[in-house]
Amino acid sequence: HSPPPLTLTPHTQDVQSFLLEVMLGLQNKQTEFILDIADLNEIQAHRMHVVREETITTPIGSLPTILVQENVTDTKAPRFSLWCAPSLDYFPILIRKTEPDGANWDLSLRKFNSR
């Protein structure tokens, strides 16, 4: 039994392309993001905003970043945080998923090759 097909709105993103949407928005000085993301068998609404500038240390060195965090009102939903580096065209150098139980899953940039 397969799930029913999703009905996509014109601005629905997938789990990878939403990162490009945030990067482009930051390049254009956007501070609020409303994203509908198709993930598996559902469309999830994500509301994110710029929180602050923050320098973080990564395997490629210390970089100034812009922290973009999700506005979560549902305490049963995971929360996403992105640290995007202006010097790398706002590429996210750290992505954190915080589970409702407080567990964190980090995806951290280890190497960057610009061509």
Side-chain angles (χ1 to χ4, degrees):
H1 176 286
S2 61
L6 294 176
T7 301
L8 302 179
T9 61
H11 300 287
T12 301
Q13 304 286 326
D14 64 19
V15 293
Q16 287 81 29
S17 67
F18 95 91
L19 294 173
L20 293 173
E21 182 82 15
V22 171
M23 289 171 61
L24 290 172
L26 289 172
Q27 289 172 20
N28 291 310
K29 308 298 183 211
Q30 187 175 337
T31 59
E32 300 284 332
F33 302 89
I34 299 171
L35 305 161
D36 292 327
I37 301 173
D39 188 19
L40 300 176
N41 300 321
E42 64 181 344
I43 296 176
Q44 302 170 349
H46 295 268
R47 308 296 181 250
M48 304 182 84
H49 68 282
V50 171
V51 176
R52 65 179 171 270
E53 294 180 12
E54 186 175 333
T55 298
I56 63 170
T57 302
T58 71
I60 64 170
S62 292
L63 292 170
T65 66
I66 303 294
L67 172 59
V68 179
Q69 246 175 8
E70 187 159 17
N71 304 332
V72 176
T73 54
D74 180 358
T75 57
K76 295 178 184 150
R79 176 179 174 182
F80 290 93
S81 303
L82 310 171
W83 285 262
C84 300
S87 64
L88 301 176
D89 293 325
Y90 295 93
F91 193 85
I93 61 171
L94 176 62
I95 301 171
R96 176 171 292 151
K97 179 181 180 184
T98 303
E99 298 290 351
D101 65 3
N104 287 322
W105 299 89
D106 287 355
L107 180 60
S108 179
L109 182 69
R110 297 194 180 278
K111 185 177 179 182
F112 186 86
N113 184 6
S114 63
R115 294 183 184 211

